[in-house]
Amino acid sequence: MTAPTITSIRAGRIGDSPQRPDGRQKVTGEFAYSSDLWLDGMLWGATLRSPHPRARITGLDITGAVAMPGVFAVLTHEDVPGRETYGLERPDQPVLAIDQIRYQGEPVALVAADHPETARRAAGRIRVSYREEPPLADARAALAPGAPSVHPGGNLVRHVRVRRGDPDARAAVVVTGEYEVGMQDQAFLGPESGLAVPAADGGVDLFVATQWLHVDRDQVAASLGLDPDLVRITLGGVGGAFGAREDLSMQIHACLLALHTGKPVKMSYSREESFFGHVHRHPASMRYEHGCSAGGRLVYVKADIVLDGGAYMSSSPAVAANAATLGIGPYEVPNVVMDSYAVYTNNPPCGAMRGFGAVQACFGYESQMDKMAAALSMDPVEFRVRNAMREGSVMPTGQVVDSAAPVAELLRLVRDRPPPPARDTGDLRSLPGGVSNTTHGEAVVRGVGYGVSIKNVGFSEGFDDYSTARVRLELTGGEPSAQVHTAAAEVGQGLVTVLEQIVRSELGVERVAVLPADTTIGSAGSSSASRQTYVTGGAVRAACAEVRSQLLARAGDPAAGSPGNRPPGLAGAAGLGDLVALLGKPAEATVTWRHRPTAPLDPGTGQGQAHVQYAFAAHRAVVDVDTELGLVKVVEIATAQDVGKAMNPQAVEGQIHGGIAQGLGLAVMEEIQVAGGVVRNPSFTDYLIPTILDMPPVRLDMLELADPHAPYGLRGVGEPPAISSTPAIVAAIRDATGIPLTRIPVRPEHLTATQPDEGPDPPSAMIMGRNAPHRVPFDPRS
Amino acid sequence: MQVPTHVEYERASSVDEALEMLSRAGGEARPLAGGHSLIPMMKLRLAQPELLVDISGLTELSYINVADAELRVGALTRHAQLLDSAVAGERLPIVHDAERVIADPIVRNWGTIGGSLCQADPSEDLSAVLAALRATAVIRGAGGVRTVPAREFHAGPYETVVEPGELLVELRIPLTANTGSAYEKVERRVGDWSVAAAGAVLTLAGELIEDAGIGLTAVGAPHFCAPEAEEFLRGRRAGEEAFTTAGQIAAEHSNPVADQRGPEDYKRHLAAELTTRALRKAFERA
């Protein structure tokens, strides 16, 4: 068994777009994902999950499962040797349910068997007696006095208050709005999977697809009751993440089974189980009030945002802080009253997903900006430009934006793009309903909408956000070659390519190998918050500088003491011969690198230097809507984004296209439909993800305005594309139809007279009253 | 990993042999054609046949030809073959409209016409198309051949009149002069199941509608058709007014169920609108 080793000798320095070392393997199916891990003699783990969203466990009988031939272990919470709970911010989530169930799909028991089907069937023979209780399924109701508590201490996970200026400010023009965001799923393609191997020293080696190896390790070790050094984690091949792998899924479970049986244990979720195996994007319920002068300058914003965190905390506190601190958007507003709440309910747990709190708020504030522009009879772009934040602007937190904030420029860029061509009614693919032949142009109306967004990059609020990198330069076959070792997770974003580019640029060598990420080196932090190129890239650059300094010292160069001083011969075209002479023995450096510190928010006022960097993007959406059938075709997205420095322009473009696809999904397709705490569509047949035919052409303007505080001037790029693409598309649909549209995703029935989009989750309520027809989760056509 | 339960497998080299194998195993045998429905259902253990009779090698059941003013389609014909058929495209545009929106090219390359119909999924497209066209199903068993009108082929969701030991072998679709047809489908994303779909076949006599066939998919229309709307159209002057009213009648007689793809009212609304649009298109093509 081998973890995927990603090496490359392809050329490509910073600013180039070299081929990804894993690209060909992924396209041809040769890439080893974590679900491909295999050891002879390994067992298969299966999880028994609760069918109920809220219940007391009154009995548990494992004898039927234990008796099955081929079964090696059946474990319950009593078999957890260490801490019985885990969690990113607070360990409030049981490894296995203890006495109660707080969400549908909560793990209750584990089985290890010699065949996956045996394991699954044995899990089915475990008898659990539940006493069902009515689930707490509405986040605002969960905050009401007297609501039953999901956890001791009440249902409020965190309340973030931000106060700036005069809380009683008045304005000439006032618009209010209430908005809702449904539950989006990260919908990665590689389900949760991994392989735990018991070790002779009493520890365990875990190979797993994850986003943050060290935080996994610490949580696994605590629950196993082991010293963290005895839990060694190596990154398996990751089939997408988008935040969903920041929390644990099968990590502790597989390790428990491996240690219990003394055999390697593999766990790999089915698609359906995957929907219950990871956190989702928080649904949100938002109320906004915007006040504006008659001349079109924002005077105040008052808002409250309620985020449904579901049954466990996960990263809800940080999501609530993002929604609060970024919740008025990239605008200058002198007076702000913002309250953001994360709440426990009996819905599926929610946590990290691309955009992390900024997505929900952006739908609210951008909807409001359009509403206000209409109230003022102003052009929506002109109104935004007039209020746009710039470098030197002050955030509602009091933080000064101290690098480029080209909000007005981004808006003008997308506005000034030539409009897409008129409809081609001869090409069905370009029409709403696509090749389904439903329209040849009848009842189709075009609309245009805009959105602009702000996102923090990196971890905030005083978190010690760092990464560790080891760079080793040595002669291999007489040629200088570099090895890079970090614990940073390549989750498909292209990090390994960028790290190679950094080493080539810094050390002037062509041969670079990125070693498998594991916990034998210090933490790299999470592959999330658009931070990994910034932070691990920064660490790799710093390690390269150390290596360079060592070599200069060997050469007796007086510049050796100042690693930033780039000498000729180590990064230029010449000097390979010099390098060979200097590398009689390898040069190696391990560096822990931090970005500049942030500070906590004042709990009363939300004031503080909470974020390290801000990123901005603007979108213009053009849509065609079949107003009789309620079908939307997104015709084109024009976008502009400041990336500081395009380290790998093609990868940046890929991030932007992918983020827009995810934003489109939230606008018109993607929703985990939850009714009374029960998920109605846990399959890719019923959870709709945009395909290439749903995805429009993207017209992209990329700005490179260097951030002087960041390595190479770069700015995190991963998240902004997924944030304002959604409100831009919804604004375009409003423009086409005149329907207010206060809830996303917009559904076809919202666009016809048959179903208003008001009220909490009408489609789910509809399902509750009837039996949904039997639907098998695949495509049974023969 | 999803694993079916234990199953025996036999490969038939002729229709007679297939029938013999099927009847020997009684109700516990299933014919395997394209396998795009059966195999996934077996993996999920929603189907647990004891014997699979592989009929995918029976080239004698794979053909498209014209005889006696009928298009005759062998049950083992792949969706892609029907989509490639020039005669089907010219004479029966409704068939090509539907085939274009059945799943995706990979499924169409291997999935069979007979398998689709025998799966009898309420969201399956060809059932409504063949109902609109008033096609006939040819079924063979040990006792010989019988024919069943497409409108009597389904006994309920996932249920047909094909008995254990029988095989659907052919579909016969009437080719009528002065006739146009169309199929229109709403799906939430490309390649997805129908939220709702409608097919229309119009035979004209001058400005009057001599005969009409309307098929409805996924909206709970009994036997996938709308006889009340057809009756309304018969003898009426073709045009916008008649098509709109027919759409409303079809919607009134449909009985959609709310699911993840939409609420009842929206589906009924679609039944009306899509019927009207399909009639309009069929009229253009007549």
Side-chain angles (χ1 to χ4, degrees):
Chain A
M1 176 198 61
T2 53
T5 303
I6 295 169
T7 61
S8 169
I9 54 164
R10 273 170 289 279
R13 303 191 177 196
I14 291 168
D16 296 340
S17 297
Q19 206 181 84
R20 302 166 61 116
D22 52 336
R24 184 189 162 85
Q25 296 172 37
K26 284 179 174 167
V27 171
T28 56
E30 291 167 275
F31 185 82
Y33 290 99
S34 56
S35 52
D36 297 317
L37 291 162
W38 190 280
L39 267 184
D40 287 342
M42 70 182 184
L43 303 177
W44 294 79
T47 316
L48 177 70
R49 295 173 182 274
S50 166
H52 310 297
R54 184 160 181 231
R56 292 275 159 184
I57 297 175
T58 56
L60 187 58
D61 177 5
I62 63 170
T63 49
V66 174
M68 272 183 70
V71 170
F72 282 69
V74 181
L75 305 183
T76 69
H77 78 94
E78 291 176 351
D79 301 298
V80 179
R83 197 174 68 192
E84 282 203 53
T85 55
Y86 69 95
L88 278 178
E89 297 207 18
R90 185 196 295 165
D92 66 347
Q93 184 157 6
V95 173
L96 293 166
I98 297 167
D99 56 350
Q100 59 180 309
I101 298 299
R102 295 188 179 87
Y103 75 100
Q104 183 204 17
E106 181 149 5
V108 177
L110 303 169
V111 176
D114 56 7
H115 190 277
E117 195 53 41
T118 308
R120 190 160 39 224
R121 281 201 277 163
R125 290 206 188 170
I126 299 170
R127 295 286 160 251
V128 187
S129 306
Y130 297 103
R131 191 177 72 234
E132 286 182 68
E133 295 175 352
L136 186 59
D138 181 83
R140 283 197 185 267
L143 283 178
S149 284
V150 177
H151 291 271
N155 297 325
L156 180 63
V157 176
R158 187 180 182 189
H159 173 196
V160 183
R161 294 160 54 93
V162 177
R163 299 290 183 271
R164 178 168 189 236
D166 176 7
D168 300 315
R170 289 169 168 276
V173 186
V174 174
V175 296
T176 60
E178 297 191 8
Y179 305 96
E180 284 194 19
V181 179
M183 187 184 289
Q184 190 179 20
D185 190 59
Q186 298 85 350
F188 51 54
L189 295 184
E192 293 84 347
S193 50
L195 175 64
V197 186
D201 61 4
V204 63
D205 292 279
L206 176 64
F207 301 80
V208 67
T210 181
Q211 287 176 245
W212 192 354
L213 279 71
H214 284 75
V215 155
D216 279 14
R217 179 198 63 181
D218 293 347
Q219 294 178 86
V220 170
S223 289
L224 296 178
L226 289 178
D227 187 285
D229 289 342
L230 288 174
V231 178
R232 293 159 294 254
I233 299 187
T234 302
L235 185 68
V238 182
F242 312 107
R245 295 189 208 272
E246 210 165 49
D247 290 81
L248 296 180
S249 56
M250 44 55 68
Q251 284 91 330
I252 301 174
H253 295 166
C255 291
L256 278 174
L257 290 169
L259 291 178
H260 202 87
T261 59
K263 288 174 175 290
V265 175
K266 174 171 174 170
M267 295 186 83
S268 188
Y269 289 176
S270 69
R271 179 62 57 198
E272 181 178 6
E273 185 171 19
S274 175
F275 272 94
F276 298 101
H278 61 255
V279 298
H280 315 290
R281 188 190 299 292
H282 290 72
S285 158
M286 305 180 284
R287 296 173 180 152
Y288 273 89
E289 179 180 323
H290 278 59
C292 197
S293 73
R297 291 300 299 250
L298 285 167
V299 176
Y300 72 84
V301 175
K302 297 178 185 174
D304 79 70
I305 298 174
V306 176
L307 298 155
D308 185 347
Y312 294 104
M313 181 176 283
S314 178
S315 50
S316 284
V319 172
N322 264 17
T325 58
L326 309 172
I328 65 160
Y331 303 110
E332 289 189 334
V333 183
N335 307 295
V336 176
V337 178
M338 165 69 74
D339 292 279
S340 161
Y341 306 86
V343 181
Y344 284 128
T345 66
N346 293 115
N347 288 323
C350 289
M353 182 176 172
R354 195 179 201 172
F356 202 80
V359 165
Q360 295 90 332
C362 187
F363 176 61
Y365 64 70
E366 285 300 84
S367 297
Q368 284 286 100
M369 292 301 280
D370 283 334
K371 208 169 180 178
M372 181 61 89
L376 294 164
S377 301
M378 274 185 76
D379 174 77
V381 173
E382 208 40 56
F383 175 59
R384 285 174 169 85
V385 165
R386 191 168 297 184
N387 291 283
M389 164 180 288
R390 65 201 74 191
E391 184 168 352
S393 293
V394 182
M395 295 289 291
T397 57
Q399 184 169 22
V400 176
V401 178
D402 63 358
S403 68
V407 178
E409 186 180 353
L410 296 172
L411 281 162
R412 290 193 186 107
L413 280 168
V414 297
R415 180 193 59 194
D416 295 342
R417 277 266 173 191
R423 275 189 295 284
D424 174 7
T425 52
D427 183 354
L428 289 178
R429 287 172 306 177
S430 70
L431 293 167
V435 290
S436 299
N437 195 39
T438 47
T439 182
H440 298 268
E442 63 261 48
V444 177
V445 183
R446 179 158 287 190
V448 181
Y450 294 88
V452 62
S453 52
I454 179 171
K455 177 69 180 59
N456 61 319
V457 172
F459 278 31
S460 300
E461 295 187 81
F463 187 89
D464 182 20
D465 196 15
Y466 67 92
S467 182
T468 316
R470 177 177 303 133
V471 172
R472 179 184 172 92
L473 189 59
E474 63 190 351
L475 293 179
T476 308
E479 277 184 60
S481 71
Q483 290 181 350
V484 189
H485 189 195
T486 77
E490 165 67 61
V491 297
Q493 81 277 47
L495 180 71
V496 292
T497 320
V498 167
L499 298 185
E500 288 174 0
Q501 291 175 254
I502 290 173
V503 174
R504 286 198 197 99
S505 294
E506 294 295 332
L507 297 180
V509 295
E510 294 306 316
R511 294 164 63 108
V512 182
V514 176
L515 301 182
D518 60 34
T519 50
T520 63
I521 188 168
S523 176
S526 179
S527 288
S528 63
S530 306
R531 67 178 280 286
Q532 212 51 292
T533 301
Y534 189 133
V535 188
T536 294
V540 169
R541 182 175 74 158
C544 287
E546 280 281 333
V547 166
R548 214 163 48 216
S549 186
Q550 289 175 23
L551 292 172
L552 289 171
R554 289 180 196 177
D557 191 306
S562 55
N565 187 0
R566 182 171 309 194
L570 281 180
L576 266 189
D578 302 343
L579 204 48
V580 170
L582 292 173
L583 283 171
K585 61 174 180 161
E588 182 180 301
T590 304
V591 171
T592 300
W593 188 86
R594 290 175 163 77
H595 61 65
R596 55 192 176 135
T598 59
L601 294 169
D602 179 276
T605 63
Q607 299 297 295
Q609 310 292 309
H611 300 308
V612 67
Q613 186 187 55
Y614 293 102
F616 304 91
H619 295 87
R620 181 191 70 188
V622 177
V623 304
D624 281 340
V625 183
D626 182 329
T627 53
E628 287 172 356
L629 299 179
L631 302 180
V632 175
K633 171 72 185 176
V634 182
V635 174
E636 185 200 81
I637 299 284
T639 185
Q641 184 169 337
D642 172 29
V643 303
K645 167 71 185 169
M647 302 289 285
N648 179 323
Q650 195 178 49
V652 170
E653 205 174 333
Q655 284 281 346
I656 289 171
H657 283 239
I660 288 170
Q662 223 153 9
L664 186 158
L666 180 58
V668 294
M669 297 172 88
E670 292 187 43
E671 181 174 12
I672 296 185
Q673 298 177 20
V674 184
V678 174
V679 176
R680 313 304 306 215
N681 57 340
S683 76
F684 279 173
T685 303
D686 293 320
Y687 182 87
L688 304 176
I689 311 169
T691 69
I692 189 69
L693 291 172
D694 300 296
M695 183 66 190
V698 171
R699 313 291 174 209
L700 169 61
D701 283 302
M702 203 188 291
L703 299 186
E704 295 185 87
L705 307 174
D707 178 351
H709 311 287
Y712 308 108
L714 71 84
R715 202 175 286 286
V717 298
E719 291 170 284
I723 301 174
S724 44
S725 49
T726 304
I729 290 167
V730 177
I733 302 171
R734 285 192 198 109
D735 184 47
T737 62
I739 299 172
L741 300 177
T742 57
R743 187 184 193 283
I744 47 174
V746 174
R747 298 174 61 92
E749 59 266 29
H750 298 158
L751 301 177
T752 58
T754 54
Q755 184 83 45
D757 70 314
E758 313 295 338
D761 205 6
S764 302
M766 198 73 71
I767 292 162
M768 277 175 72
R770 300 181 156 265
N771 286 327
H774 170 70
R775 164 69 66 212
V776 284
F778 55 88
D779 192 2
R781 287 149 205 262
S782 150
Chain B
M1 191 199 288
Q2 292 172 326
V3 188
T5 187
H6 177 85
V7 64
E8 297 291 323
Y9 171 90
E10 290 185 58
R11 191 172 171 82
S13 56
S14 69
V15 174
D16 288 334
E17 190 187 15
L19 291 172
E20 194 271 321
M21 289 168 173
L22 287 168
S23 48
R24 192 161 16 103
E28 304 309 320
R30 292 287 297 273
L32 175 68
H36 278 68
S37 307
L38 185 56
I39 300 294
M41 287 187 68
M42 287 169 60
K43 285 184 170 183
L44 291 169
R45 304 201 173 194
L46 295 170
Q48 300 196 12
E50 288 172 10
L51 172 65
L52 283 182
V53 176
D54 187 347
I55 58 167
S56 60
L58 303 185
T59 48
E60 61 198 279
L61 291 183
S62 176
Y63 55 86
I64 301 169
N65 56 46
V66 176
D68 299 335
E70 286 178 332
L71 187 75
R72 296 188 171 177
V73 182
L76 209 62
T77 305
R78 315 279 172 186
H79 291 288
Q81 290 172 297
L82 194 51
L83 191 50
D84 281 346
S85 159
V87 59
E90 279 161 29
R91 302 295 305 272
L92 303 166
I94 183 175
V95 171
H96 273 198
D97 286 352
E99 281 294 353
R100 266 187 213 103
V101 294
I102 291 175
D104 51 57
I106 298 164
V107 171
R108 293 199 294 263
N109 280 341
W110 201 242
T112 66
I113 308 300
S116 276
L117 287 168
C118 290
Q119 177 67 14
D121 188 294
S123 302
E124 194 275 318
D125 296 288
L126 287 183
S127 301
V129 168
L130 296 175
L133 289 165
R134 294 191 173 81
T136 302
V138 181
I139 299 168
R140 259 179 76 179
V145 173
R146 64 187 178 112
T147 58
V148 176
R151 294 183 176 204
E152 294 167 21
F153 185 75
H154 296 92
Y158 305 97
E159 241 183 282
T160 72
V161 299
V162 180
E163 298 288 336
E166 287 188 322
L167 266 185
L168 172 66
V169 291
E170 186 181 84
L171 294 150
R172 296 178 181 169
I173 307 171
L175 298 172
T176 315
N178 305 320
T179 297
S181 63
Y183 187 73
E184 309 216 349
K185 166 172 167 177
V186 166
E187 51 189 358
R188 286 292 305 276
R189 92 185 138 181
V190 175
D192 195 17
W193 298 92
S194 290
V195 179
V201 181
L202 276 183
T203 303
L204 299 179
E207 291 183 354
L208 298 184
I209 298 169
E210 184 178 315
D211 201 2
I214 294 173
L216 292 168
T217 302
V219 291
H223 302 290
F224 298 92
C225 54
E228 299 83 1
E230 292 165 352
E231 184 53 39
F232 167 82
L233 286 170
R234 223 166 272 133
R236 211 166 281 268
R237 183 177 302 277
E240 202 54 32
E241 203 183 320
F243 298 157
T244 306
T245 308
Q248 284 160 359
I249 295 170
E252 277 162 28
H253 287 88
S254 68
N255 185 27
V257 182
D259 65 8
Q260 295 92 334
R261 280 166 176 68
E264 218 177 285
D265 288 355
Y266 175 65
K267 291 185 176 187
R268 188 171 282 114
H269 170 81
L270 288 183
E273 190 58 42
L274 291 174
T275 299
T276 303
R277 288 189 183 192
L279 284 166
R280 202 183 281 149
K281 191 80 194 164
F283 177 62
E284 270 175 39
R285 286 168 168 174

